[in-house]
Amino acid sequence: MNQFDCVVVGGGMVGAASALSLAELGLKVAIIEKSAPAIFSPEQDFDLRVSAISLASEQLLKQLGAWQQLKQWRMCAYKRLGVWEFEQSYTEFNAQDINQTHLGHIVENRLIQLALWQKLQQHSNITLLCPETLINIEQSPTDVKLTLSSETINAKVVIGADGANSFVRKLANIGTTGWDYAQSAMLINVQTEKPQQDITWQQFYPTGPLAMLPMPGNFASLVWYHDKDEIKRLSALSNGNLAQEILQNFPARLGNVEVINKAAFPLTRRHANQYQKGRILLIGDAAHTINPMAGQGVNLGFKDVKALQHVIAKAIGNGESWHEPKVLASYQQKRRTDNLLMMTTMDALYLSFGHVSPLVKLARNAGLMMVNTVPSLKNKALAYACGI
């Protein structure tokens, strides 16, 4: 029976990053994943799933050696972030205001995963079990036995990084709180009339925000939030008719567009009641799924990775048994409150902009205008969002 220090279930962006970060500490790590990411070629269309990678996440990816490869493939830096409901309340955040060259990069999720996998495959401390499927987990006071579709392995610690519908979370009998939002979101890749911009923006409506994420060249990723029936109607349109709907509903600053690809998904909020149960830990979407309105989902997952690495590195440095549950409990203490704060803030923002009361509308626009008049508050919020 193979014995590992850590077994990571799920080889997505956050799972792959966690495996690498723990292997860098000298631990023997296995990662279980059902399928490998597709290879990259420059002529491929942009993937629909993209992330706004913060400065803090960029630093983690540099530390793990994946950022250098991503720069050789494709990504798009943005220096400014614009938010508004009415034009007179337009608020813009600028990287220069916090002494940075940029606020973040828009990067395709699959490319982040692929760059991390290239490092996984090169690391002598990592065993990549793919294609492989988890069947069962049994905890004992000293380790965890994992029954897989083709073998049985043991680990001192198991990390569930297997997404919002985490099987690890289910096997560990960890409950969640949460709900489904009344809205859905539509992702639309477009070719743009105007050249690539260095800004990402969101305009808010009672029906939900409209957002633009810049992509390399004359391309952009649009996000359209609306009630489920309207998103269903939009999804059924031809690309040409959808382009006409975009021109009628998105801000004029977008210009003419040609729709390349589209997909829709429901919005949900889930938060695990605990991130640790004995020797089992949850990270990323297995622990928390957040309203994607501010693009913080994967950035929160990468913060989980960094926190877990810090907890285990500190224990190893102090000569402690890093895999003991009392040591692992520090990870939950570091991350659960912070994640809950971000989730609650996003929900408050979501509910605020969905409120049709004239008084609430006046208050939120006055709030946006006030942010512009208090640079210290504006820049503090921006630095926090960037993870610095």
Side-chain angles (χ1 to χ4, degrees):
M1 185 181 297
N2 286 326
Q3 178 72 46
F4 297 94
D5 292 318
C6 295
V7 171
V8 180
V9 182
M13 295 182 288
V14 173
S18 68
L20 276 169
S21 69
L22 297 176
E24 287 294 301
L25 298 179
L27 302 182
K28 185 181 178 184
V29 180
I31 186 164
I32 299 168
E33 174 56 45
K34 294 179 181 178
S35 57
I39 62 171
F40 170 75
S41 60
E43 66 274 7
Q44 288 173 340
D45 286 340
F46 293 105
D47 283 5
L48 282 165
R49 293 280 185 171
V50 301
S51 292
I53 297 300
S54 69
L55 294 173
S57 294
E58 177 184 330
Q59 288 303 314
L60 175 65
L61 292 169
K62 283 179 178 177
Q63 173 198 323
L64 299 176
W67 191 254
Q68 296 81 341
Q69 180 61 75
L70 287 168
K71 287 180 69 176
Q72 293 177 28
W73 288 339
R74 57 192 187 196
M75 60 172 65
C76 182
Y78 62 95
K79 302 176 182 178
R80 298 176 293 143
L81 166 63
V83 292
W84 75 100
E85 181 171 14
F86 300 123
E87 288 294 340
Q88 60 267 33
S89 65
Y90 179 82
T91 301
E92 187 172 292
F93 300 87
N94 196 306
Q96 293 179 346
D97 296 335
I98 55 172
N99 300 314
Q100 299 293 327
T101 58
H102 57 278
L103 296 177
H105 286 81
I106 308 300
V107 192
E108 294 156 79
N109 290 3
R110 181 179 63 84
L111 298 191
I112 298 171
Q113 181 192 17
L114 184 60
L116 289 165
W117 270 57
Q118 288 189 354
K119 305 306 292 186
L120 287 175
Q121 291 166 328
Q122 298 166 9
H123 207 296
S124 59
N125 287 351
I126 296 177
T127 300
L128 185 55
L129 302 175
C130 177
E132 187 57 272
T133 303
L134 175 67
I135 304 298
N136 195 31
I137 293 176
E138 297 176 55
Q139 281 205 74
S140 76
T142 56
D143 66 1
V144 185
K145 183 171 79 171
L146 297 94
T147 303
L148 311 180
S149 56
S150 63
E151 62 178 310
T152 300
I153 60 177
N154 272 32
K156 294 175 182 175
V157 172
V158 170
I159 298 167
D162 50 342
N165 298 314
S166 171
F167 189 48
V168 172
R169 189 180 66 216
K170 179 181 179 181
L171 289 175
N173 291 315
I174 297 175
T176 63
T177 57
W179 54 82
D180 295 338
Y181 295 99
Q183 292 180 320
S184 291
M186 190 173 188
L187 304 177
I188 313 167
N189 282 356
V190 297
Q191 188 165 0
T192 58
E193 172 193 15
K194 298 181 178 180
Q196 180 214 304
Q197 304 177 57
D198 66 354
I199 186 171
T200 179
W201 48 253
Q202 286 193 75
Q203 183 174 13
F204 291 92
Y205 293 90
T207 53
L210 301 175
M212 189 282 292
L213 310 176
M215 299 292 284
N218 282 46
F219 292 92
S221 173
L222 307 182
V223 190
W224 193 335
Y225 298 83
H226 213 294
D227 65 68
K228 294 177 180 179
D229 288 341
E230 177 63 4
I231 292 297
K232 185 177 180 180
R233 182 188 74 82
L234 292 170
S235 298
L237 296 177
S238 68
N239 286 356
N241 288 339
L242 180 59
Q244 292 302 312
E245 293 274 357
I246 290 169
L247 293 178
Q248 292 171 21
N249 289 276
F250 272 69
R253 66 185 66 197
L254 186 61
N256 288 324
V257 300
E258 177 188 347
V259 173
I260 306 299
N261 201 0
K262 61 184 186 290
F265 60 94
L267 300 180
T268 62
R269 182 196 200 272
R270 297 286 185 273
H271 199 198
N273 296 336
Q274 57 196 101
Y275 290 5
Q276 179 224 357
K277 193 164 187 180
R279 295 173 179 270
I280 296 175
L281 302 172
L282 302 178
I283 63 172
D285 284 355
H288 45 79
T289 56
I290 187 172
N291 190 310
M293 188 164 58
Q296 288 296 310
V298 73
N299 293 315
L300 292 182
F302 284 147
K303 283 186 175 182
D304 294 347
V305 170
K306 194 69 180 173
L308 180 57
Q309 183 191 44
H310 176 77
V311 165
I312 292 179
K314 183 179 177 182
I316 292 172
N318 291 338
E320 300 177 75
S321 295
W322 60 268
H323 43 80
E324 290 299 321
K326 63 181 181 181
V327 173
L328 300 175
S330 297
Y331 160 70
Q332 175 169 293
Q333 293 165 6
K334 281 178 173 289
R335 292 302 301 144
R336 197 169 188 280
T337 300
D338 186 59
N339 286 334
L340 184 59
L341 175 62
M342 178 61 77
M343 296 171 81
T344 304
T345 301
M346 289 303 100
D347 284 339
L349 198 60
Y350 171 84
L351 293 170
S352 167
F353 280 100
H355 207 296
V356 296
S357 163
L359 287 176
V360 174
K361 187 175 291 190
L362 178 65
R364 66 185 175 235
N365 282 277
L368 283 175
M369 287 187 281
M370 186 187 73
V371 167
N372 275 328
T373 65
V374 188
S376 60
L377 175 64
K378 181 179 178 181
N379 293 340
K380 187 174 182 179
L382 181 59
Y384 177 76
C386 290
I388 59 174

